[in-house]
Amino acid sequence: MEQLNTPQGQFQLSRFPIRPKDSLRAWDAADEYLLNYLNDENIALKGNILIINDTFGALSTALATHKPTTLSDSYLAEQGIKQNLQHNHLAPDSVHFINSLQTPNTTLDLVLIKIPKSHAMLEEQLHRIRPFINAKTTIIAGAMTKMVHTNTLKLFERLIGPTKTSLAVKKARLIFSTVTDINLPENPYPLSLNLSPEKFTQQEYTMSNHANVFSREGMDIGSRFFLETLVKSQPVSDEALSMVDLGCGNGIVGLIVAERFPNAQLHFVDESYMAVDSARINFQHAFPNRSAQFSTMDCLGGLEENSVDMIMNNPPFHQQNVVGDFIAQQMFIESKKVLKQGGTLWVVGNRHLGYQGALKRLMGNCTVIASNKKFVVLKAIKR
């Protein structure tokens, strides 16, 4: 835990989840720039304040006394903010949380935006807040300079109004947008995508993909390779198995598994609210007479130990802009806990990530089921 010094006060902040020997801070220079600017320019911190994409809670914690609302697509971000409020002895209800599928309930006076990695996500968020802002609303966005592109500014101009940027400070930049009457284009999200029958299925699926869903415009090659391998390796079965699509995205892996296991109970899990909702929509469209569970949570923290027969996992190798295998390692550890004896964990990953060694150390076994130049599909059994 490190201390963030701002004009609003000093705050002890940590990233969520807390990991041993984590040397990364829970804020960046753009957070500092935003908070300093609010103070230096005497921006009114009253009325209805909305903070968007506050990854670990630097903005929400520093402004908690002003009762902001925080909008995020990340369950982890929400938990991180709550954790940092607690660290700093701030009331848990000092920040109101809404997820990316919800909207504000009143006109906004101040909107602070951390620019997300996904351009589509930013576009959807600007559409979402547009009905709740007016010419009196102050809108300030912040990001590291590498995240601010010409397309970013054009997006603000197209959906909000005239836009300008600040000078860079510590490789961070602010964006200022003035709300004007414009001919607002239609929100294109969620996208609707038709998946034609492929090697792994004879069905055609219509996929609904929210803006923050990975590979929302088409199936990624890793998932395609994973599904082709699963279909070759797993015969159709009438067993009533308990299965989890971990890090489900739009749920395509779970859909194909559900097709091959008609009596299985599927559970779709992701930390993205948009991903889980996309999976829900897609499963209900594909199997209208079948039930499944859909959970937004941190890995498998909400599942009972020794309760699952099979887990399918395509782990992310980054959290926001930080690359590493820490999320995959957490997913593997929690998978071992929730699997029954004899239960299987199926994983697809880039060859260079070394998941095979990690699984062998954790589970005592790991088999390479398939591989190509870029990916491996691994299977580990809980003994």
Side-chain angles (χ1 to χ4, degrees):
M1 192 179 306
E2 294 191 45
Q3 181 171 285
L4 171 64
N5 299 312
T6 75
Q8 293 80 18
Q10 297 178 333
F11 304 95
Q12 299 295 321
L13 302 178
S14 62
R15 298 167 68 92
F16 182 89
I18 295 176
R19 296 185 174 92
K21 300 180 181 179
D22 188 352
S23 61
L24 299 172
R25 297 188 314 182
W27 70 91
D28 61 19
D31 292 310
E32 294 178 318
Y33 201 169
L34 269 167
L35 293 169
N36 285 324
Y37 181 86
L38 293 175
N39 179 73
D40 295 344
E41 299 300 319
N42 294 313
I43 303 298
L45 297 176
K46 60 182 180 179
N48 297 307
I49 301 172
L50 177 67
I51 301 171
I52 302 177
N53 304 323
D54 190 11
T55 307
F56 297 107
L59 299 177
S60 300
T61 304
L63 300 177
T65 56
H66 302 283
K67 301 289 185 179
T69 294
T70 292
L71 184 154
S72 175
D73 187 50
S74 170
Y75 175 87
L76 292 179
E78 183 178 319
Q79 299 308 304
I81 295 169
K82 290 177 179 178
Q83 171 183 270
N84 282 320
L85 290 174
Q86 184 177 14
H87 286 334
N88 292 279
H89 309 290
L90 295 165
D93 61 354
S94 58
V95 175
H96 175 63
F97 296 93
I98 60 175
N99 66 50
S100 55
L101 303 173
Q102 299 172 311
T103 55
N105 58 12
T106 188
T107 301
L108 301 169
D109 298 289
L110 173 64
V111 179
L112 303 177
I113 306 172
K114 286 296 295 295
I115 301 298
K117 187 175 181 180
S118 167
H119 184 82
M121 180 66 166
L122 178 61
E123 181 179 10
E124 203 283 338
Q125 289 172 337
L126 295 182
H127 271 290
R128 188 167 291 271
I129 68 169
R130 195 59 174 81
F132 304 94
I133 58 179
N134 56 42
K136 295 181 180 180
T137 305
T138 299
I139 298 180
I140 311 171
M144 302 308 291
T145 301
K146 63 183 179 181
M147 299 284 292
V148 181
H149 308 289
T150 301
N151 286 343
T152 310
L153 305 181
K154 287 182 177 178
L155 187 60
F156 274 92
E157 290 179 342
R158 183 163 60 90
L159 300 181
I160 305 298
T163 298
K164 60 182 181 180
T165 63
S166 70
L167 297 175
V169 174
K170 295 182 180 179
K171 298 183 180 180
R173 195 178 295 275
L174 301 183
I175 298 172
F176 310 99
S177 207
T178 303
V179 183
T180 56
D181 291 331
I182 56 177
N183 185 16
L184 191 67
E186 185 178 348
N187 186 345
Y189 302 101
L191 299 177
S192 183
L193 174 69
N194 292 322
L195 290 183
S196 301
E198 300 202 33
K199 294 180 182 179
F200 48 79
T201 179
Q202 298 302 309
Q203 291 186 214
E204 179 173 314
Y205 290 97
T206 299
M207 306 297 290
S208 177
N209 295 330
H210 285 298
N212 200 36
V213 171
F214 177 65
S215 293
R216 62 193 160 273
E217 296 180 355
M219 188 184 302
D220 64 285
I221 57 176
S223 294
R224 180 174 280 108
F225 182 59
F226 193 25
L227 288 170
E228 290 173 0
T229 303
L230 279 172
V231 167
K232 289 178 184 177
S233 307
Q234 291 287 115
V236 175
S237 172
D238 289 330
E239 289 185 88
L241 301 177
S242 172
M243 299 181 165
V244 176
D245 185 352
L246 173 57
C248 64
N250 65 8
I252 183 60
V253 172
L255 293 188
I256 302 306
V257 169
E259 180 185 317
R260 299 184 65 78
F261 292 84
N263 294 318
Q265 177 62 42
L266 269 294
H267 196 154
F268 295 83
V269 175
D270 205 292
E271 76 97 20
S272 161
Y273 290 96
M274 284 189 169
V276 172
D277 193 61
S278 292
R280 178 189 61 79
I281 293 169
N282 295 330
F283 184 87
Q284 292 177 351
H285 184 268
F287 303 101
N289 299 315
R290 191 169 169 182
S291 63
Q293 293 176 276
F294 305 90
S295 299
T296 308
M297 60 185 179
D298 179 15
C299 292
L300 296 170
L303 273 65
E304 292 183 16
E305 294 187 13
N306 306 307
S307 63
V308 174
D309 295 291
M310 179 175 167
I311 296 172
M312 297 78 66
N313 184 209
N314 183 354
F317 49 88
H318 59 84
Q319 183 179 13
Q320 302 302 323
N321 297 314
V322 178
V323 177
D325 68 350
F326 45 87
I327 297 176
Q329 298 290 350
Q330 182 182 350
M331 287 179 161
F332 299 161
I333 291 169
E334 294 188 15
S335 292
K336 182 180 180 181
K337 290 180 181 178
V338 305
L339 281 170
K340 299 175 182 177
Q341 293 295 122
T344 56
L345 170 61
W346 291 76
V347 176
V348 63
N350 292 78
R351 293 175 63 96
H352 71 274
L353 293 173
Y355 290 157
Q356 182 181 2
L359 287 170
K360 201 162 190 176
R361 288 189 295 272
L362 177 68
M363 306 282 278
N365 68 96
C366 180
T367 304
V368 178
I369 303 298
S371 64
N372 60 22
K373 292 182 179 179
K374 190 168 185 179
F375 299 101
V376 290
V377 176
L378 309 172
K379 177 184 176 182
I381 303 172
K382 182 175 178 179
R383 303 298 189 187

